[in-house]
Amino acid sequence: MENISISETRNFDDESIEIKYEGIPLKENTDEKEVRRMIRDFVDNHKHDNMLENVTILRTILRDYVEISLDVYFCNKNGSETVSYTHIYGTGLANWFSFMKNSQNCKIKYDSVLGLELNYHDEFDNIKKYTDYLSDIMKYISDLSNLEPIVINDNDKALIEIYKLFYKENPDFSSRDINVKVQTMMSILAGFNVTLDCDYSFSLMTKLKIPFSLKLEEMVQKMYPFGVVDEVQDNVKLAEEPKKTIEIVGDSVRDAISLEDDMNEALVTISKVIHASRYNLSFDADIREIAEFTNRSVDDVEASVQLVKRIEHKINKDN
């Protein structure tokens, strides 16, 4: 198997990023094309001002390779940061890590062999500020030197399985609309008593009154570097009853929105109507009340209410 070498540089209006990587594939069927696509997506579309996040995301994307070297450089109006990792195999030599930061306040250089060098542009007015700053720097360097790829937990795996059942497709966590699809899916399923085994309560987002969970958004953002997820190691198995419910709801929803010009907006409408009917309005609220609360047309609300009735009938019939 041939080594993979990656070199990507982008210069934007207010920042620049450069990535260099070399690694050895861990298996024969590593999808190098998808890996390169994800690296380009990260460079072109993701924020880069957090070096801890940069390295974690890159190592997660490249999780199917043994890292030989990784160099990441980032700069913006506040300064620049560079990290370099080198792993020398079969020579008995230790791994090497270096870090350099240039900011308005100071210049920091760290080398795992040579140690730390600090040059301050501004003097500290007391010893406590100096020691606190030094402590923060050392912790930051320690964190950078020990970063690992992201590990997905059982709730993440369950969310992936639910997505596959609901949409009948593999989730692409690098997709622009993945958060909308996950948020609406889980909000709709909550109306049929299907939930994850974690706290991800929904609240109404701004004046649009869209059911939104910060916890779900956090889960989706965490899985960004996994891109398109086909298989998950040590996958979780969903219980048969919720599995059937997810399939029934997903099939019905996809069928209902299949002819819509904007499927995401149609998903939002269904999500809003179900959430408002169940949590925000009285049990006997009529169509016009729901339409006024959700800021949706009477026809759209009526269609969503009828969809819910059809789904409930199918679930009851199946059970």
Side-chain angles (χ1 to χ4, degrees), residues 47-317:
K47 62 186 181 71
H48 310 113
D49 57 352
N50 184 327
M51 190 60 79
L52 291 168
E53 186 175 271
N54 291 343
V55 176
T56 301
I57 286 175
L58 289 168
R59 283 183 167 163
T60 304
I61 294 172
L62 294 154
R63 62 194 177 278
D64 290 332
Y65 294 84
V66 175
E67 183 177 296
I68 297 174
S69 65
L70 171 64
D71 302 283
V72 185
Y73 166 80
F74 171 76
C75 73
N76 61 13
K77 62 182 181 181
N78 298 317
S80 66
E81 280 189 55
T82 306
V83 290
S84 296
Y85 305 85
T86 302
H87 309 271
I88 306 174
Y89 293 93
T91 64
L93 297 177
N95 296 346
W96 177 73
F97 165 71
S98 71
F99 166 77
M100 184 165 64
K101 179 174 182 176
N102 231 325
S103 68
Q104 295 176 350
N105 297 324
C106 68
K107 182 177 181 180
I108 306 163
K109 292 176 69 176
Y110 174 82
D111 185 294
S112 56
V113 176
L114 300 177
L116 181 68
E117 178 183 330
L118 299 176
N119 292 297
Y120 297 105
H121 305 320
D122 298 321
E123 295 295 329
F124 289 91
D125 55 15
N126 63 62
I127 191 66
K128 185 178 186 307
K129 283 187 178 180
Y130 172 82
T131 54
D132 287 348
Y133 188 71
L134 184 60
S135 176
D136 290 342
I137 289 172
M138 294 309 298
K139 183 181 185 309
Y140 184 62
I141 292 173
S142 176
D143 289 343
L144 278 171
S145 65
N146 293 291
L147 290 174
E148 297 286 343
I150 294 167
V151 177
I152 57 177
N153 59 36
D154 285 348
N155 279 311
D156 301 325
K157 294 175 183 179
L159 180 63
I160 291 168
E161 289 307 300
I162 291 171
Y163 187 101
K164 289 181 178 181
L165 287 171
F166 190 94
Y167 288 111
K168 290 295 187 286
E169 65 184 26
N170 294 323
D172 179 1
F173 289 101
S174 64
S175 169
R176 302 295 172 268
D177 62 356
I178 186 65
N179 193 41
V180 172
K181 294 181 77 170
V182 168
Q183 295 278 349
T184 53
M185 174 185 75
M186 295 308 299
S187 173
I188 290 168
L189 288 173
F192 301 95
N193 301 313
V194 175
T195 60
L196 293 170
D197 189 23
C198 63
D199 181 16
Y200 60 97
S201 57
F202 289 94
S203 57
L204 296 182
M205 188 177 72
T206 67
K207 294 180 179 179
L208 298 177
K209 296 180 179 177
I210 299 173
F212 186 84
S213 166
L214 289 173
K215 174 63 176 179
L216 284 177
E217 181 182 49
E218 180 184 299
M219 292 172 69
V220 169
Q221 290 177 344
K222 167 187 171 182
M223 289 188 281
Y224 162 78
F226 289 90
V228 178
V229 178
D230 182 9
E231 296 181 2
V232 177
Q233 190 174 5
D234 299 324
N235 196 15
V236 298
K237 291 187 177 181
L238 303 175
E240 283 303 315
E241 185 174 339
K243 186 176 176 180
K244 289 180 181 177
T245 299
I246 294 164
E247 289 182 315
I248 290 171
V249 177
D251 290 346
S252 300
V253 168
R254 292 196 319 277
D255 183 62
I257 68 173
S258 61
L259 300 179
E260 296 289 340
D261 293 332
D262 189 336
M263 291 190 181
N264 286 344
E265 191 63 20
L267 286 167
V268 169
T269 296
I270 298 168
S271 170
K272 290 176 70 171
V273 169
I274 291 176
H275 192 275
S277 302
R278 182 163 183 170
Y279 299 106
N280 304 118
L281 301 173
S282 62
F283 179 75
D284 57 351
D286 61 26
I287 299 297
R288 291 191 179 279
E289 287 179 286
I290 300 173
E292 182 178 354
F293 183 86
T294 59
N295 196 28
R296 287 298 195 256
S297 70
V298 170
D299 288 344
D300 285 344
V301 171
E302 177 66 35
S304 294
V305 169
Q306 292 304 317
L307 172 62
V308 170
K309 290 180 178 178
R310 292 196 299 273
I311 292 172
E312 288 174 340
H313 176 73
K314 289 179 182 178
I315 292 173
N316 292 332
K317 183 179 179 182

